[in-house]
Amino acid sequence: MLTREFKTVTREFRTVTREFRTFTREFRTFTREFHPFTRDFQPFTREFQLFTREFQTVAREFKTFTRKFQPFTRDFQPFTRDFQPFTREFQPLTREFQPFTREFQPFTREISHQGYILDFYIALYKAIPW
């Protein structure tokens, strides 16, 4: 009885050993085939690591800039709030002025080609009754 069980276990062990060898061979083949891909992929990996490091540096600098900019933003908010009503009141005038601006563009382009654009805008600004 014990001998029979031992033979069965031995047979099963041989089968497992054979399967393991097959797996090992297949794995070596896969490793051999995969190796060139790994080698070719290394420069990309290095470049990506460099990009990641640079991106992290930029992110840190941006975070620092944002932190430094926050007090200014907070200080500027009341002015922005005070300016919003003026902006709202000015929008209709802007809409009314758009057709005139569109009609005036060819003339403006012509003047700009001749180099007189700054003088023209100064004269236009002075001519508008503010």
Coordinates of all heavy atoms in Angstrom, one line a residue, residues 24-36:
T24 N 9.8 26.5 -17.7 CA 11.1 27.2 -17.6 C 11.6 27.5 -19.0 O 12.1 28.6 -19.3 CB 12.1 26.4 -16.8 OG1 11.5 26.1 -15.5 CG2 13.4 27.1 -16.6
R25 N 11.6 26.5 -19.9 CA 12.1 26.7 -21.3 C 11.3 27.8 -22.0 O 11.9 28.7 -22.6 CB 11.9 25.4 -22.0 CG 13.2 24.7 -22.3 CD 13.1 23.5 -23.3 NE 11.9 22.7 -23.1 CZ 11.8 21.6 -22.3 NH1 12.9 21.2 -21.7 NH2 10.7 21.0 -22.2
E26 N 10.0 27.7 -21.8 CA 9.1 28.8 -22.5 C 9.4 30.2 -21.9 O 9.4 31.1 -22.6 CB 7.6 28.4 -22.3 CG 7.2 27.2 -23.1 CD 5.8 26.8 -22.8 OE1 5.2 27.3 -21.9 OE2 5.3 25.9 -23.5
F27 N 9.7 30.2 -20.6 CA 10.0 31.5 -20.0 C 11.3 32.0 -20.5 O 11.4 33.2 -20.7 CB 9.9 31.3 -18.4 CG 10.0 32.7 -17.7 CD1 8.9 33.5 -17.7 CD2 11.2 33.1 -17.2 CE1 9.0 34.7 -17.1 CE2 11.3 34.3 -16.5 CZ 10.2 35.1 -16.5
R28 N 12.3 31.2 -20.6 CA 13.6 31.6 -21.2 C 13.4 32.1 -22.6 O 14.0 33.2 -22.9 CB 14.6 30.4 -21.2 CG 15.3 30.2 -19.9 CD 16.5 29.3 -20.1 NE 16.7 28.6 -18.8 CZ 16.7 27.3 -18.6 NH1 16.5 26.5 -19.6 NH2 17.0 26.8 -17.4
T29 N 12.6 31.4 -23.4 CA 12.4 31.9 -24.7 C 11.7 33.3 -24.7 O 12.1 34.2 -25.4 CB 11.5 30.9 -25.5 OG1 12.1 29.6 -25.5 CG2 11.3 31.3 -26.9
F30 N 10.7 33.4 -23.9 CA 10.0 34.7 -23.8 C 11.0 35.8 -23.3 O 11.0 36.9 -23.9 CB 8.9 34.6 -22.8 CG 8.3 35.9 -22.4 CD1 7.4 36.5 -23.3 CD2 8.6 36.5 -21.2 CE1 6.8 37.8 -23.0 CE2 8.0 37.7 -20.9 CZ 7.1 38.4 -21.7
T31 N 11.8 35.5 -22.3 CA 12.8 36.4 -21.8 C 13.8 36.8 -22.9 O 14.1 38.0 -23.1 CB 13.6 35.8 -20.6 OG1 12.7 35.4 -19.6 CG2 14.5 36.8 -20.0
R32 N 14.3 35.9 -23.7 CA 15.2 36.2 -24.8 C 14.5 37.1 -25.8 O 15.1 38.0 -26.3 CB 15.6 34.9 -25.4 CG 17.1 34.8 -25.6 CD 17.6 33.4 -26.2 NE 17.5 32.4 -25.2 CZ 16.7 31.2 -25.3 NH1 16.1 31.0 -26.4 NH2 16.7 30.4 -24.3
E33 N 13.2 36.8 -26.1 CA 12.5 37.6 -27.1 C 12.2 39.0 -26.6 O 12.1 39.9 -27.3 CB 11.2 36.9 -27.5 CG 11.5 35.6 -28.4 CD 10.3 34.8 -28.6 OE1 9.2 35.2 -28.1 OE2 10.4 33.8 -29.3
F34 N 12.0 39.0 -25.3 CA 11.6 40.3 -24.6 C 12.7 41.2 -24.4 O 12.6 42.4 -24.4 CB 10.9 40.0 -23.3 CG 10.1 41.2 -22.8 CD1 8.9 41.6 -23.3 CD2 10.6 41.8 -21.7 CE1 8.3 42.7 -22.8 CE2 9.9 42.9 -21.1 CZ 8.8 43.4 -21.7
H35 N 13.9 40.7 -24.3 CA 15.1 41.4 -24.0 C 15.4 42.6 -25.0 O 15.7 43.7 -24.5 CB 16.3 40.5 -23.9 CG 17.5 41.2 -23.3 ND1 17.7 41.6 -22.0 CD2 18.7 41.6 -23.9 CE1 18.8 42.2 -21.8 NE2 19.5 42.2 -23.0
P36 N 15.3 42.4 -26.3 CA 15.6 43.5 -27.2 C 14.5 44.6 -27.0 O 14.9 45.8 -27.1 CB 15.4 42.9 -28.6 CG 15.6 41.4 -28.4 CD 15.2 41.1 -27.0

